[in-house]
């Protein structure tokens, strides 16, 4: 146990609007998600029904960095320090980590609003991949995977996903690993030379739990870490998809997402939303560096700034 959200912060009404339309059994008064590490090594996360972004100090203390009228679901840092939020209510939001100001960044696909954005990931070239989940599932397999290029072009890569959730790219960035929660599996989404996708398939098929795979992360060896909601576990598979080991929760079963941190990058932080906790596991290998932590050489990347 690394940190636990104070009870006074878990104050959303049990029948709040977001929880009222979700399947029964999930956390309602708070839901920790989107763990991410800034360039200073500080852990951040979001609280969906309370519309908050938290900064967690090394001693495990939660500080409210932002509170706004939204449902933040995923969080990632840009290389220039900005925070990007996948907001289930509004779309993709942008936050200043210094003053806590949150503003819309991308709220529509053309003229149509999103179903409900869930998670996001930056490729090394600055392209932003994000999932549009809404209430999709096997009954309505219309969830979407989007890419917003560093040049500002929005592309829909998939539109037939039964509940797209967490996502991460493989080491060579030739494919996207996509958590498909209601299918209880992780898809592999190969990228074709023209930028499209082809031969999408199942990479890992899970079973059990009452939810499915949620957040994903990758280590330096290309091993995939899969937070399994309702199973109380993080599954680890190698680059071939073969199981390596399982990390069991020491709290409740709502393991929603994961992020690598610590001084050597070998600490895996796990958001467990049933107890409102963040768990920590020490691993044998560090996580793959994120776009936000890429070395800067003075060059200006699209959408970023030089050192």
């Amino acid at each position: 146990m690394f940190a636990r959200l104070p009870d006074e912060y878990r104050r959303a009404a049990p029948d709040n609007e977001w929880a009222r339309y979700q399947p029964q059994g999930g956390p309602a008064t708070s839901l920790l998600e989107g763990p991410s590490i800034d360039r200073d090594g500080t852990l951040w996360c979001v609280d969906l029904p309370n519309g908050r972004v938290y900064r967690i100090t090394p001693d495990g203390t939660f500080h409210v960095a932002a509170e706004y009228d939204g449902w933040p679901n995923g969080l990632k840092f840009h290389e220039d320090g900005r925070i990007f939020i996948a907001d289930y209510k509004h779309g993709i939001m942008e936050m200043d980590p210094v003053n806590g100001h949150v503003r819309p960044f991308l709220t529509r696909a053309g003229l149509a609003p999103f179903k409900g954005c869930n998670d996001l990931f930056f490729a090394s070239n600055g392209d932003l991949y994000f999932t549009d989940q809404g209430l999709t599932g096997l009954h309505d397999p219309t969830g979407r995977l989007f890419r917003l290029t560093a040049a500002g072009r929005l592309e829909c890569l998939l539109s037939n996903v039964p509940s797209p959730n967490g996502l991460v790219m493989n080491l060579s960035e030739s494919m996207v690993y996509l958590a498909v929660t209601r299918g209880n599996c992780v898809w592999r989404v190969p990228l074709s030379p023209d930028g499209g996708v082809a031969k999408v398939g199942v990479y890992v098929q899970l079973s059990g739990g009452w939810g499915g795979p949620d957040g994903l992360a990758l280590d330096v060896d290309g091993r995939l870490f899969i937070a399994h909601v309702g199973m109380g576990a993080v599954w680890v598979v190698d680059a071939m998809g073969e199981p390596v080991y399982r990390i069991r929760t020491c709290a409740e079963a709502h393991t929603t997402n994961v992020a690598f941190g610590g001084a050597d990058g070998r600490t895996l932080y796990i958001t467990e939303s049933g107890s409102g906790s963040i768990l920590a596991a020490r691993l044998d290998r560090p996580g793959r560096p994120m776009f936000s932590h890429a070395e800067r050489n003075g060059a200006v990347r699209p959408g970023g700034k030089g050192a």
Side-chain angles (χ1 to χ4, degrees), residues 50-257:
N50 287 295
R52 296 198 202 101
V53 176
Y54 298 119
R55 185 182 70 255
I56 301 100
T57 54
D59 64 356
T61 302
F62 282 79
H63 298 272
V64 178
E67 185 169 357
Y68 70 103
D69 178 20
W71 295 331
N73 205 156
L75 183 152
K76 289 292 187 296
F77 282 88
H78 193 276
E79 68 166 359
D80 63 13
R82 287 178 296 163
I83 292 174
F84 283 76
I85 299 168
D87 186 292
Y88 197 95
K89 188 174 187 178
H90 300 299
I92 304 300
M93 309 293 282
E94 178 185 347
M95 174 181 163
D96 185 326
V98 177
N99 61 27
H101 179 65
V102 179
R103 65 180 183 180
F105 180 80
L106 181 69
T107 59
R108 295 177 180 273
L111 295 177
F114 295 115
K115 296 173 180 287
C117 292
N118 185 291
D119 209 345
L120 65 174
F121 176 82
F122 280 105
S124 60
N125 66 354
D127 288 352
L128 176 62
Y129 292 78
F130 64 93
T131 51
D132 186 27
Q133 180 191 62
L135 294 175
T136 62
L138 293 176
H139 69 295
D140 176 25
T142 59
R144 297 179 290 183
L145 170 65
F146 283 98
R147 175 173 58 209
L148 179 66
T149 70
R153 184 177 65 255
L154 183 64
E155 303 165 335
C156 182
L157 301 179
L158 293 174
S159 60
N160 64 329
V161 191
S163 193
N165 202 317
L167 68 167
V168 70
M169 301 187 83
N170 65 341
L171 290 178
S172 65
E173 299 194 348
S174 61
M175 73 174 67
V176 176
Y177 294 126
L178 176 64
V180 180
T181 303
R182 307 308 162 198
N184 218 357
C185 59
V186 177
W187 286 7
R188 58 190 299 276
V189 184
L191 302 176
S192 55
D194 65 0
V197 301
K199 297 186 176 181
V200 177
V202 174
Y203 179 64
V204 176
Q205 182 66 61
L206 302 176
S207 63
W210 53 261
D214 195 329
L216 303 179
L218 206 72
D219 74 5
V220 293
D221 292 332
R223 298 185 301 186
L224 182 66
F225 290 69
I226 308 165
H228 194 167
V229 173
M231 182 61 78
V234 176
W235 300 99
V236 185
V237 300
D238 64 20
M240 298 297 291
E242 184 174 2
V244 177
Y245 54 81
R246 174 182 60 186
I247 303 169
R248 297 292 298 269
T249 179
C250 62
E252 297 183 29
H254 209 88
T255 40
T256 56
N257 214 328

Side-chain angles (χ1 to χ4, degrees), residues 35-37 43 217 257-261 267-270:
S36 192
I37 310 294
L43 175 65
N257 214 328
V258 288
F260 282 93
T267 298
L268 186 73
Y269 293 104
I270 306 164

